[in-house]
Amino acid sequence: MVARHEELYAQVVAHCRETALLTSIDALLGWDERCMLPSAGGDHRAEQMTLLAGLIHERQTALKLGDWLNELASGPLAADKESDAAANIRQLKYHYEKRTKLPKKLVEELARAAVRGQQIWQEARAKNDYQLFKPALAQMYALKREQAKAIGYTEHIYDALLDDYEQGERTRELTSVLAKLREQLVPLVSAIGASRHKPATTVLERTFPVAAQQQFGQEAARRIGFDFERGRLDVTAHPFCTTLGPGDIRLTTRYDEKFFNAGFFGILHEAGHGLYEQGLPRDQFGLPMAEAVSLGIHESQSRLWENLVGRSRPFWQHMFPAAQQAFPDALGNVSLDAFYAAVNDVQPSLIRVEADEATYNLHILIRFELEQALLTDDLRVDDLPQAWNEKYHNFLGIVPPNDADGVLQDIHWSAGLIGYFPTYTLGNLYSAQLYDQADKDLGGLGVMLARGEFAPLLEWLRTNIHRHGQRWSATELARRATKKPLDHAPLMTYLRSKYEPLYRL
């Protein structure tokens, strides 16, 4: 019996690893599309990726794979539910059953629409032309409704899509969590806005040569632990991290010579994603144990390194001399205190990826509400720009002057990533809780960061988060790491402890 199941499991592993090779080719084409592809190559790339999507779907829904997994799920290898084999069998079976509900034609149509949609979005944003993007957006939402209905749901249509990023999560639960956070966040943001003590942010708007930004950002990513022997850094329109294989993790960012934060914190954010990917078990390639458990946990890693580390005073105690050396004209006469206050400036802003920690989650709430309304047809695509602007006025007290800085600023909807946005806020919640526990376990992270000792924190994350892949659910993984359930209190405590002294609240 055991020998039979071991043989079946070996067949599953071989099948999944071959499929993973195809998905890595798809990822490479996706990276190239967003970093290198000439504008005239979009249609051909769409056909390439559509073909691959169909081939991958066929392998992921093969009848023999389902038969193997059904037999393994009730066998001895699945008995120890926390073992690598049991986790792989359980998660593969879950995803298999979900994928078999999707027709191959729909999977191909989604892939084609995503590639073409991203190409159109990029052009529309550059031209500030929402009308150009509108048909692609309408098509994508129609396809995502079809996907949600094929998968099925019991409460809200949004649940079916949210499950792609946060397995088992429900819209009503997220709505409750975000409402509690907003209840405490809005008064803090209001108090900061009313404060007379404002940092001088002009120090971030001097000239920062792109070549120096790239070199300094790459060195910062290397110092926190990103292995450039197994990764690289490139330029794109909208920053992302993608994994092509255990030894090939691609980071991207975008640079603005007149704004330091855009490039540098984009690199730290994506490096956080990359560190997670580099910390997953290499010997489990192609299997759930070598994949992130959820986008919320993934975002916890990026937001932890970007904000709790990268915007902390101890981090800049260590890195600011190097920053002054990299940008002598811009920062040579700037004090550490002035720079630290500037990178932690809080004010309502238009662009989500450049938002401060205090207002960032309000950007997410806006998108969370809008994409639900679009999915249920309570909001028409024609009316989206107006609805977007109204919510920005209501939530942040500002109105975008154009659609490029408004409804066209994010790539997610063009790529079909509907249900993704709330994972950013989940990531913020998880990041504060994880950092707080790591600080307690390691005996004071501030002193370590000020000395440039980032390895202890990375090793703590490797031990408690990265190496477990999809062994447990996201909530269970975080509970085991922090010894408590997910709670908004650590994030609010962290924000208050940082901003009350800075703004003398």
Side-chain angles (χ1 to χ4, degrees):
M1 178 71 164
V2 173
R4 156 77 179 165
H5 280 238
E6 287 177 346
E7 181 181 344
L8 280 180
Y9 185 68
Q11 289 176 302
V12 167
V13 169
H15 181 91
C16 290
R17 284 185 172 154
E18 285 187 359
T19 306
L21 291 174
L22 287 175
T23 60
S24 70
I25 294 169
D26 182 70
L28 177 59
L29 290 174
W31 171 86
D32 178 77
E33 177 209 341
R34 292 169 66 181
C35 295
M36 307 292 290
L37 186 71
S39 57
D43 286 346
H44 183 64
R45 180 55 46 84
E47 294 310 308
Q48 290 176 312
M49 296 181 75
T50 298
L51 175 63
L52 267 177
L55 294 173
I56 291 166
H57 184 68
E58 284 181 353
R59 291 187 60 85
Q60 290 175 333
T61 58
L63 288 175
K64 64 179 182 180
L65 178 60
D67 291 340
W68 292 339
L69 291 171
N70 282 332
E71 187 171 346
L72 287 169
S74 58
L77 295 183
D80 178 1
K81 297 188 182 302
E82 295 188 0
S83 70
D84 291 356
N88 285 329
I89 293 165
R90 180 182 66 250
Q91 287 298 97
L92 285 170
K93 190 171 186 294
Y94 179 86
H95 293 303
Y96 176 85
E97 291 173 350
K98 185 174 175 180
R99 287 168 180 145
T100 53
K101 296 176 181 178
L102 296 176
K104 179 184 174 184
K105 182 180 178 183
L106 175 58
V107 172
E108 291 175 333
E109 288 176 347
L110 282 164
R112 183 180 290 110
V115 177
R116 288 179 174 168
Q118 289 174 84
Q119 294 285 325
I120 294 168
W121 165 80
Q122 195 161 330
E123 181 184 356
R125 187 167 191 238
K127 293 181 177 178
N128 184 32
D129 186 356
Y130 176 74
Q131 294 302 314
L132 178 63
F133 178 55
K134 189 175 70 174
L137 182 64
Q139 180 193 20
M140 180 56 75
Y141 266 92
L143 290 171
K144 297 305 281 190
R145 286 187 207 101
E146 192 176 339
Q147 176 187 334
K149 289 172 183 175
I151 291 170
Y153 52 92
T154 56
E155 295 181 17
H156 196 292
I157 187 172
Y158 191 76
D159 291 346
L161 304 182
L162 178 62
D163 190 78
D164 283 346
Y165 311 106
E166 293 295 320
Q167 185 177 321
E169 190 61 83
R170 293 290 177 267
T171 305
R172 60 176 166 76
E173 294 167 354
L174 262 183
T175 301
S176 176
V177 169
L178 296 182
K180 290 175 184 176
L181 178 61
R182 183 186 178 192
E183 186 178 326
Q184 294 192 20
L185 195 56
V186 170
L188 176 62
V189 171
S190 297
I192 291 171
S195 172
R196 295 181 179 180
H197 301 280
K198 307 290 185 185
T201 58
T202 53
V203 301
L204 303 175
E205 298 164 1
R206 298 174 178 180
T207 300
F208 295 87
V210 167
Q213 285 192 58
Q214 183 172 3
Q215 185 175 357
F216 180 67
Q218 185 160 321
E219 175 59 19
R222 185 193 64 77
R223 289 195 193 189
I224 66 172
F226 186 79
D227 181 1
F228 280 97
E229 293 295 314
R230 296 196 290 140
R232 56 179 288 135
L233 173 65
D234 294 280
V235 178
T236 191
H238 190 102
F240 66 97
C241 168
T242 191
T243 298
L244 308 187
D248 192 354
I249 315 296
R250 308 286 177 98
L251 311 180
T252 67
T253 194
R254 61 188 179 200
Y255 300 102
D256 183 340
E257 280 201 339
K258 295 297 184 180
F259 187 52
F260 173 81
N261 286 13
F264 183 77
F265 289 107
I267 290 172
L268 280 192
H269 181 96
E270 301 308 334
H273 284 304
L275 288 171
Y276 188 6
E277 292 293 315
Q278 290 184 341
L280 292 164
R282 290 190 232 182
D283 64 341
Q284 297 287 317
F285 170 70
L287 302 168
M289 278 297 296
E291 297 174 3
V293 64
S294 80
L295 263 294
I297 294 296
H298 227 312
E299 290 299 333
S300 78
Q301 304 304 285
S302 59
R303 300 296 285 178
L304 185 151
W305 289 104
E306 175 193 358
N307 292 326
L308 286 98
V309 173
R311 281 188 164 89
S312 71
R313 184 179 180 85
F315 176 84
W316 286 108
Q317 284 177 256
H318 172 67
M319 289 296 296
F320 193 59
Q324 289 181 306
Q325 187 174 359
F327 310 104
D329 295 338
L331 298 178
N333 64 348
V334 176
S335 70
L336 170 61
D337 286 345
F339 183 80
Y340 170 68
V343 298
N344 285 291
D345 175 49
V346 172
Q347 57 180 308
S349 59
L350 295 171
I351 307 301
R352 173 187 62 84
V353 297
E354 296 169 7
D356 58 80
E357 293 175 272
T359 61
Y360 183 90
N361 292 303
L362 298 177
H363 291 261
I364 299 304
L365 282 164
I366 290 169
R367 289 153 176 79
F368 178 58
E369 293 181 4
L370 288 175
E371 63 183 9
Q372 288 181 67
L374 286 167
L375 196 64
T376 58
D377 268 337
D378 290 330
L379 174 64
R380 297 190 312 144
V381 170
D382 285 342
D383 300 328
L384 178 59
Q386 181 181 347
W388 179 285
N389 292 349
E390 287 175 354
K391 283 196 178 290
Y392 262 78
H393 180 265
N394 294 336
F395 279 61
L396 291 160
I398 55 177
V399 176
N402 55 60
D403 288 337
D405 290 334
V407 70
L408 289 173
Q409 68 177 267
D410 293 303
I411 196 172
H412 299 60
W413 290 340
S414 70
L417 303 179
I418 298 160
Y420 190 123
F421 278 120
T423 68
Y424 289 114
T425 292
L426 282 174
N428 287 331
L429 294 169
Y430 283 129
S431 70
Q433 201 159 318
L434 291 170
Y435 186 92
D436 185 55
Q437 188 63 46
D439 184 48
K440 292 173 183 175
D441 290 348
L442 296 172
L445 282 172
V447 174
M448 294 177 184
L449 299 182
R451 293 197 297 247
E453 297 172 3
F454 304 109
L457 174 57
L458 179 57
E459 184 57 34
W460 188 92
L461 293 168
R462 292 268 195 259
T463 299
N464 290 280
I465 302 296
H466 303 175
R467 70 184 179 92
H468 294 296
Q470 295 186 10
R471 192 187 313 279
W472 302 299
S473 68
T475 53
E476 178 63 12
L477 178 66
R479 187 194 66 77
R480 286 174 180 257
T482 66
K483 305 173 179 62
K484 61 189 74 168
L486 180 64
D487 186 5
H488 67 281
L491 178 61
M492 290 307 306
T493 298
Y494 158 71
L495 292 174
R496 291 190 186 103
S497 68
K498 172 182 278 189
Y499 291 113
E500 286 177 357
L502 275 173
Y503 286 88
R504 303 182 190 179
L505 302 182

